[in-house]
Amino acid sequence: QVQLVESGGGLVQAGGSLRLSCAASGRTFSSYVMGWFRQAPGKEREFVAEIIWSSLRTYYTDSVKGRFTISRDSAKNTVYLQMNSLKPEDTAVYYCAARSVVVADYRYWGQGTQVTVSS
């Protein structure tokens, strides 16, 4: 059973930084894609970033390019989202997710961690 556990959320001032972590367990992830999504109050969940575990290739939504960095540590089975130059509009619950590289939809989801950016 795949489990994803996020941590690292919190309250930060605009311009500040946070690093989110996603501890993954239950299988090997060498053929998986790991992603971060977020959902702000009253809005739909949106894609933030993803990383292909084996190739380290990354993708970002336009609004976070140049500010956020996704990475993974295979020894710890952990995925990170380094968030710099945070803006109030980054406030949301952030979710870690996982999918096989051969499918488009994310199958496994964490419980989420709250990120609040004050102005």
Side-chain angles (χ1 to χ4, degrees), residues 5-26:
V5 180
E6 303 98 332
S7 61
L11 173 64
V12 64
Q13 287 189 332
S17 298
L18 280 175
R19 188 178 78 159
L20 305 183
S21 298
C22 172
S25 61

Side-chain angles (χ1 to χ4, degrees), residues 22-104:
C22 172
S25 61
R27 62 160 298 127
T28 57
F29 293 92
S30 56
S31 61
Y32 268 60
V33 181
M34 308 298 290
W36 287 97
F37 291 73
R38 65 186 179 186
Q39 187 168 20
K43 295 187 177 182
E44 293 188 353
R45 187 166 56 193
E46 66 170 349
F47 168 81
V48 175
E50 67 181 11
I51 183 167
I52 301 175
W53 192 277
S54 57
S55 69
L56 298 179
R57 192 164 184 177
T58 59
Y59 301 89
Y60 298 91
T61 193
D62 286 346
S63 62
V64 308
K65 285 180 181 177
R67 300 190 298 124
F68 291 10
T69 303
I70 188 171
S71 62
R72 65 105 174 108
D73 183 333
S74 58
K76 297 181 179 179
N77 254 18
T78 299
V79 178
Y80 303 100
L81 186 68
Q82 178 67 43
M83 306 186 295
N84 299 328
S85 302
L86 282 161
K87 304 175 182 180
E89 51 263 45
D90 294 317
T91 295
V93 178
Y94 283 71
Y95 297 91
C96 177
R99 64 176 173 87
S100 168
V101 292
V102 299
V103 299

